Amino acid sequence: LFFPEETICECSAFVDPGRRRQGVFRQLLDDVLDLVDDREKQTGSQIDFCFLIDERTPSAMAVMKALEAEYWYSEYTMVRPLSQEDADYRCGLQICRQEDGLYAAVLDGAAAGTCAILPGESGYYLYAFQIREDLRGQGYGRDFLLGMLALLAADRSAPRQVSLQVSGLNGAARSLYKKTGFRDAEALSYYLY
């Protein structure tokens, strides 16, 4: 179980194939729902209980159907290799490093957006990418994203791949990532129960 917010509980479950159809999942689910009910009483708020699953897994989909869980949305992990072309990109925004892993895009002396980078062995993880609301839809997001990729690509000794996660509910961000060369690597779906 994971509580990303006070009112949301994400659940991932796995039952060993040799123990399936023996009531193990049902008992565990009942215990977890009791725990969530107790938490609702303690906090005085209703908690949305959801399963996080890979829809390519037939057994998980069968469980969602049996529970009559309702599809909520999907979250995508997207990846993109870095190239020399990325290193050559010239960003129209000034990109400033704020603190360890956090960057800001500056336009006319004011913050236009932020982005965080977490380096890893297999590549960089990009998160918290955003453009100020009044600047959206004007190309600044694309420019900032390509500028960040240029910074990462310029370090030839660093990992050569970037990954990120984006909600299927955020169509504008997903479109931007696709247009700048990111591709879907994995999709996890949320089902409300």
Side-chain angles (χ1 to χ4, degrees), residues 77-131:
T77 298
M78 301 180 82
V79 297
R80 181 190 191 282
L82 292 171
S83 68
Q84 182 57 46
E85 272 185 20
D86 292 322
D88 295 339
Y89 183 78
R90 298 293 166 244
C91 185
L93 300 167
Q94 180 184 4
I95 298 178
C96 303
R97 187 177 183 146
Q98 300 294 301
E99 54 189 69
D100 193 34
L102 182 63
Y103 295 82
V106 178
L107 177 67
D108 298 329
T114 57
C115 178
I117 299 290
L118 184 63
E121 287 182 28
S122 63
Y124 294 104
Y125 179 69
L126 185 144
Y127 63 102
F129 182 84
Q130 61 182 346
I131 292 294

Side-chain angles (χ1 to χ4, degrees), residues 36-102:
V36 172
D37 285 344
D38 290 345
R39 188 167 178 150
E40 283 181 330
K41 290 173 188 166
Q42 290 171 355
T43 63
S45 60
Q46 179 161 345
I47 296 174
D48 288 327
F49 186 84
C50 63
F51 290 99
L52 185 58
I53 67 160
D54 181 342
E55 289 188 339
R56 297 173 299 180
T57 307
S59 58
M61 291 305 296
V63 170
M64 293 303 100
K65 185 176 181 180
L67 292 175
E68 297 180 359
E70 177 185 333
Y71 173 78
W72 186 9
Y73 74 97
S74 294
E75 188 168 286
Y76 300 87
T77 298
M78 301 180 82
V79 297
R80 181 190 191 282
L82 292 171
S83 68
Q84 182 57 46
E85 272 185 20
D86 292 322
D88 295 339
Y89 183 78
R90 298 293 166 244
C91 185
L93 300 167
Q94 180 184 4
I95 298 178
C96 303
R97 187 177 183 146
Q98 300 294 301
E99 54 189 69
D100 193 34
L102 182 63

Side-chain angles (χ1 to χ4, degrees), residues 130-158:
Q130 61 182 346
I131 292 294
R132 211 172 65 208
E133 197 166 335
D134 63 314
L135 297 176
R136 293 178 187 164
Q138 301 174 49
Y140 294 114
R142 181 182 184 280
D143 193 32
F144 183 30
L145 180 58
L146 292 174
M148 287 302 303
L149 296 175
L151 283 176
L152 299 175
D155 183 354
R156 307 292 286 151
S157 65

